Amino acid sequence: MLKALLLTRDQEVLRVIRRVLESVTIDMETVTSTDAARQTICSRKFDAVLIDCDDVQSGCEVIKELRRGKSNSKSIVFAITNRVTTVKGAFELGANFVLEKPVSPDRAARSLRAAHGLILRERRRYHRQAVNATVHVSYGSVRNVAVPLTNISEGGLALGTNRTSDMTGPVQLRMQLPGLNRVLEAKGEFVWTNDAGRVGVRFTTIAPLVKSELESWLSRQLEFAAPSLASAASGRSF
């Protein structure tokens, strides 16, 4: 499930944002102080962060600190303003979207639909999709050996195999993901192993068409996991 963090003391903002996020199955956590927001942002990953800039002390500072941090520096940020922070100023702070008070459900929903693609693209960037499939690998003197595929991301994949000691250096990969008719090919390198018999591969060479198909496939898996959000993006939920 997609996750959002809201920093506000404004009960009307809380009511509206909660209503909109619940309607698209986004799990929301709420904090009322900048200290609590800082601690939460440092400890957990959020797909979207909504900050009440003008009615919470140092709210604008939270946006700047978030952008300088690590775990949520790429999160989609909504600045909620109340005639103090300008739209231009909010964007300069690092906000992706601006909601001006009073925040209406329709306005919040429209902004969420506009943010949908960005949220999914960022989620896809770090998301590892669990998958039950087979990869044919070739490396060293080994040719076209079938091994289980356990998860895949834009940047690489994990193999479930007990054959780990000789898995070093470059590797060629051929796989067919569930729901795809064509075989995807890529080149990579072994980058890690663990005690559970898993082997990590990072993609080093992947053709533009293959990369595009992989990204589209990952996006579909994310949308299947959050169908209400996908509906909201097309305007069918409001």
Side-chain angles (χ1 to χ4, degrees), residues 28-116:
M28 184 182 76
E29 183 170 343
T30 305
V31 291
T32 59
S33 71
T34 53
D35 285 344
R38 290 182 177 112
Q39 293 174 8
T40 305
I41 287 169
C42 287
S43 62
R44 292 196 293 285
K45 172 72 179 177
F46 293 93
D47 299 288
V49 180
L50 303 95
I51 304 294
D52 194 332
C53 292
D54 297 335
D55 295 327
V56 174
Q57 185 177 5
S58 302
C60 290
E61 292 301 313
V62 175
I63 298 180
K64 291 193 289 186
E65 292 170 12
L66 179 150
R67 289 305 189 209
R68 292 196 298 265
K70 293 182 178 180
S71 60
N72 288 285
S73 62
K74 300 298 184 180
S75 298
I76 304 305
V77 174
F78 292 76
I80 303 169
T81 64
N82 193 16
R83 297 183 293 277
V84 177
T85 304
T86 64
V87 172
K88 179 182 178 182
F91 286 135
E92 290 175 345
L93 289 170
N96 302 96
F97 297 89
V98 178
L99 295 172
E100 297 178 284
K101 293 186 180 182
V103 179
S104 70
D106 286 345
R107 186 181 305 168
R110 286 196 299 270
S111 294
L112 180 64
R113 287 197 292 268
H116 171 262

Side-chain angles (χ1 to χ4, degrees), residues 23 31 84 97 99 117 127 131 147 159-160 185-186 236:
S23 69
V31 291
V84 177
F97 297 89
L99 295 172
H127 173 70
V131 59
V147 296
L159 306 174
E185 297 185 1
R236 292 192 294 272

Side-chain angles (χ1 to χ4, degrees), residues 7-224:
L7 166 61
T8 190
R9 292 194 183 99
D10 189 320
Q11 291 301 306
E12 182 61 17
V13 167
L14 175 60
R15 184 189 68 81
V16 170
I17 298 300
R18 174 177 286 146
R19 172 185 168 186
V20 172
L21 294 184
E22 285 180 350
S23 69
V24 292
T25 323
I26 294 181
D27 186 38
M28 184 182 76
E29 183 170 343
T30 305
V31 291
T32 59
S33 71
T34 53
D35 285 344
R38 290 182 177 112
Q39 293 174 8
T40 305
I41 287 169
C42 287
S43 62
R44 292 196 293 285
K45 172 72 179 177
F46 293 93
D47 299 288
V49 180
L50 303 95
I51 304 294
D52 194 332
C53 292
D54 297 335
D55 295 327
V56 174
Q57 185 177 5
S58 302
C60 290
E61 292 301 313
V62 175
I63 298 180
K64 291 193 289 186
E65 292 170 12
L66 179 150
R67 289 305 189 209
R68 292 196 298 265
K70 293 182 178 180
S71 60
N72 288 285
S73 62
K74 300 298 184 180
S75 298
I76 304 305
V77 174
F78 292 76
I80 303 169
T81 64
N82 193 16
R83 297 183 293 277
V84 177
T85 304
T86 64
V87 172
K88 179 182 178 182
F91 286 135
E92 290 175 345
L93 289 170
N96 302 96
F97 297 89
V98 178
L99 295 172
E100 297 178 284
K101 293 186 180 182
V103 179
S104 70
D106 286 345
R107 186 181 305 168
R110 286 196 299 270
S111 294
L112 180 64
R113 287 197 292 268
H116 171 262
L118 294 175
I119 291 173
L120 282 185
R121 186 165 64 212
E122 179 57 24
R123 169 62 78 94
R124 190 188 67 210
R125 188 180 68 82
Y126 66 83
H127 173 70
R128 286 189 170 274
Q129 177 65 40
V131 59
N132 182 17
T134 298
V135 183
H136 287 82
V137 300
S138 298
Y139 60 94
S141 61
V142 175
R143 289 292 175 265
N144 203 33
V145 172
V147 296
L149 170 63
T150 60
N151 67 58
I152 189 168
S153 69
E154 285 188 3
L157 50 80
L159 306 174
T161 174
N162 292 322
R163 183 172 183 170
T164 59
S165 60
D166 63 341
M167 287 182 161
T168 60
V171 57
Q172 293 182 328
L173 308 151
R174 296 178 67 252
M175 73 198 99
Q176 187 165 357
L177 299 175
L180 286 184
N181 293 325
R182 62 168 290 171
V183 174
L184 303 184
E185 297 185 1
K187 294 181 180 179
E189 61 180 350
F190 296 111
V191 290
W192 57 263
T193 61
N194 65 20
D195 294 337
R198 299 291 185 266
V199 180
V201 175
R202 179 174 59 228
F203 295 137
T204 56
T205 304
I206 184 167
L209 179 59
V210 174
K211 181 177 177 62
S212 177
E213 290 201 31
L214 175 58
E215 290 175 351
S216 296
W217 184 85
L218 288 168
S219 292
R220 288 196 297 273
Q221 310 316 303
L222 286 172
E223 291 188 358
F224 292 154

